[in-house]
Amino acid sequence: MIKNKVYRLKKAAEVAKGMSLPTGKEIEIVMDVVYIDGNMVAPPMQPLFYNWIINNPTLFDDVTRTW
């Protein structure tokens, strides 16, 4: 379980056919729920995005801050 992480894409990437994200896009994961631009990814798309992030760690920089 990922409780709180923020990832930034190192380069543009395609999550699935026709679904690409630009370089620098930040993706948040809070309690295993994926958010993009502060908006929750639709429930049916959650597993796709979550697994894509977990299975492609080299695409991201971990920019999580501890306050």
Side-chain angles (χ1 to χ4, degrees):
M1 173 185 268
I2 297 177
K3 291 185 179 182
N4 182 32
K5 285 285 185 186
V6 179
Y7 298 106
R8 183 178 301 135
L9 268 173
K10 293 179 182 178
K11 60 181 181 177
E14 192 170 75
V15 179
K17 186 173 180 160
M19 293 184 0
S20 59
L21 295 174
T23 302
K25 178 62 77 178
E26 286 190 358
I27 301 170
E28 302 86 21
I29 301 178
V30 179
M31 300 300 288
D32 283 348
V33 177
V34 180
Y35 295 83
I36 298 177
D37 294 332
N39 299 304
M40 184 177 83
V41 171
M45 302 299 288
Q46 286 286 329
L48 173 69
F49 276 85
Y50 186 86
N51 290 327
W52 177 70
I53 294 164
I54 298 306
N55 293 326
N56 296 288
T58 59
L59 292 177
F60 302 95
D61 287 321
D62 184 344
V63 293
T64 306
R65 294 188 179 123
T66 304
W67 301 98

